Amino acid sequence: GRTLRTTSSVLRSTPPPRSRKPSPRAAVEPVAAPEPPEAVAPEPTAAELLAQANELRRAGAYQEASERYRELQGRYAGSREALVSRVTLGRLLLERLGDAPGALELFDGYLAATPDGTLAEEAWVGRALALQRLGRTQDERAAWTTLLSRFPGSAHAERARQRLGEMVGAEP
């Protein structure tokens, strides 16, 4: 009997079992971290888009270059790069892709935004050439005349004078 009694007293002195909540010190089973979302490349900057478009144009990928210039103009409409790309894309549309109306719109857009911009001379030449392709002789004449008055020392001055002379000779 004594053993039982001792056992019984030992059992009574043992605190009742606690609920099995994990203690902060208990080893926690590692939980798999959620999968990171697919890595998304950062959006290219205006300068990067312009460089990509220029590279495509130089490589002869004219349609792809045109799309990249348009992307630049859409994403970064007010940027210096988007403004410059109007003249470059205008030339590409006029000379390589046969889109004189689209080119004219771009040249006019550049000239409206920055009439004294660094590419204004090129924009006036592009405007005159686009108007020539469209058969808009009076507007073409005005564009060449404006080029000569605003940029008398232009590398395009001789071409402008020659074209104006041809237009006078062609009049009835």
Side-chain angles (χ1 to χ4, degrees):
R2 216 171 196 184
T3 310
L4 249 158
R5 210 167 146 197
T6 308
T7 308
S8 172
S9 68
V10 168
L11 285 175
R12 272 190 231 136
S13 66
T14 307
R18 290 192 244 158
S19 65
R20 289 255 172 216
K21 291 181 183 171
S23 76
R25 287 184 236 125
V28 177
E29 186 113 0
V31 177
E35 289 291 319
E38 275 192 45
V40 177
E43 286 207 3
T45 65
E48 290 169 340
L49 284 173
L50 182 61
Q52 291 170 8
N54 287 337
E55 189 175 310
L56 287 165
R57 179 179 46 83
R58 284 190 292 271
Y62 303 127
Q63 192 58 48
E64 293 87 349
S66 171
E67 291 165 9
R68 199 59 48 90
Y69 287 124
R70 295 276 187 204
E71 181 181 352
L72 165 62
Q73 292 166 7
R75 283 189 186 180
Y76 302 100
S79 71
R80 181 191 65 78
E81 292 87 351
L83 192 58
V84 165
S85 76
R86 289 181 185 182
V87 175
T88 309
L89 178 56
R91 293 299 294 242
L92 179 64
L93 292 177
L94 187 62
E95 297 169 2
R96 302 292 182 179
L97 297 175
D99 182 3
L104 180 61
E105 183 180 329
L106 288 163
F107 296 132
D108 285 348
Y110 179 89
L111 291 167
T114 55
D116 298 316
T118 56
L119 296 177
E121 180 181 344
E122 290 302 316
W124 279 107
V125 172
R127 176 173 165 60
L129 293 172
L131 291 165
Q132 180 182 1
R133 293 247 174 96
L134 293 169
R136 292 173 49 187
T137 309
Q138 288 183 332
D139 292 332
E140 178 195 355
R141 180 182 295 111
W144 287 123
T145 302
T146 300
L147 173 77
L148 287 173
S149 67
R150 295 207 49 223
F151 304 97
S154 169
H156 304 282
E158 184 56 37
R159 178 183 200 175
R161 282 190 281 279
Q162 180 181 358
R163 180 64 187 141
L164 286 169
E166 291 170 2
M167 294 166 74
V168 169
E171 289 178 356

